[in-house]
Amino acid sequence: MKNQTQDQIMTVSKSIALDQHEHGKLGPKISETLKRKLTFGARIVRGGGMKRIFKKLFNVGKEEKLLKLWQCYLSTTAGPIAGLLFISTEKVAFCSERSLRFTSPTGEIVRAYYKVLIPIRKIKRANQSEHARNPREKYIEIVTVDNFDFWFMGFVNYQKALNCLQQTVSQSSIRHIDSRRNVALPLLQN
């Protein structure tokens, strides 16, 4: 357990040192980025690891495996929301780092985490994009089969996040086609 915790801290420390030029809107100063990454690492350790945090936040199936966890922002009409982007074999899920204040339909002030859950099989594509006036600001756009789009930004390592997401979506569509073939073949033979 102690070695696992040390490995997690080392992984976070290494990711701080890598690809800082791609950090986008994580913060105007490297010290803010460093503080945020260390806080992120401590949260993972306190929560019992990435897999445990994922299972606590989202309904996880028996066969589902967490592939990667990224710290980023979700772009909303109210502004960017800092949080964690989970990529698993079954879903892409986002949860805000802090609870947000909302006004309920009855007028009460309520605090809740902002969550987004997109089943991988419902993702049409994951696009790379950049800000028109500032090309260093890079975004990942996820477009669903029903034409909703979600914009994620502020990745410390944008290219790795994009590659992981695109590969997961591609593999899922291949598995989905294979599963449809397996179901359809026996019906055609009868």
Side-chain angles (χ1 to χ4, degrees), residues 16-115:
I16 292 169
L18 297 172
D19 298 316
Q20 284 300 317
H21 65 282
E22 292 184 8
H23 72 80
K25 287 284 193 181
L26 286 176
K29 298 180 182 175
I30 195 75
S31 60
E32 290 179 28
T33 302
L34 180 62
K35 180 181 174 188
R36 188 164 172 253
K37 289 295 286 179
L38 289 173
T39 302
F40 174 60
R43 183 176 178 193
I44 290 171
V45 171
R46 276 194 317 270
M50 294 183 287
K51 290 177 186 172
R52 183 176 258 170
I53 290 172
F54 180 57
K55 287 180 180 180
K56 282 181 186 178
L57 293 172
F58 300 98
N59 186 18
V60 178
K62 286 183 182 180
E63 299 297 317
E64 185 174 1
K65 292 188 179 13
L66 177 63
L67 301 173
K68 202 70 177 165
L69 170 66
W70 301 96
Q71 192 173 24
C72 67
Y73 293 87
L74 170 65
S75 180
T76 70
T77 54
I81 298 174
L84 304 173
L85 182 68
F86 299 88
I87 300 175
S88 79
T89 53
E90 301 295 323
K91 66 179 75 86
V92 172
F94 176 87
C95 182
S96 61
E97 288 182 356
R98 296 186 175 99
S99 60
L100 304 174
R101 288 173 39 152
F102 297 95
T103 304
S104 73
T106 61
E108 290 182 67
I109 301 291
V110 179
R111 294 195 70 85
Y113 287 95
Y114 193 98
K115 292 183 181 181

Side-chain angles (χ1 to χ4, degrees), residues 91-148:
K91 66 179 75 86
V92 172
F94 176 87
C95 182
S96 61
E97 288 182 356
R98 296 186 175 99
S99 60
L100 304 174
R101 288 173 39 152
F102 297 95
T103 304
S104 73
T106 61
E108 290 182 67
I109 301 291
V110 179
R111 294 195 70 85
Y113 287 95
Y114 193 98
K115 292 183 181 181
V116 173
L117 191 142
I118 312 165
I120 294 284
R121 69 183 185 284
K122 298 286 185 178
I123 296 175
K124 187 187 307 183
R125 65 182 177 275
N127 299 325
Q128 65 181 35
S129 187
E130 59 188 41
H131 193 282
R133 286 176 287 192
N134 184 0
R136 292 190 66 173
E137 279 185 35
K138 299 185 184 283
Y139 300 88
I140 295 175
E141 176 193 24
I142 295 176
V143 180
T144 64
V145 293
D146 49 359
N147 290 318
F148 285 97

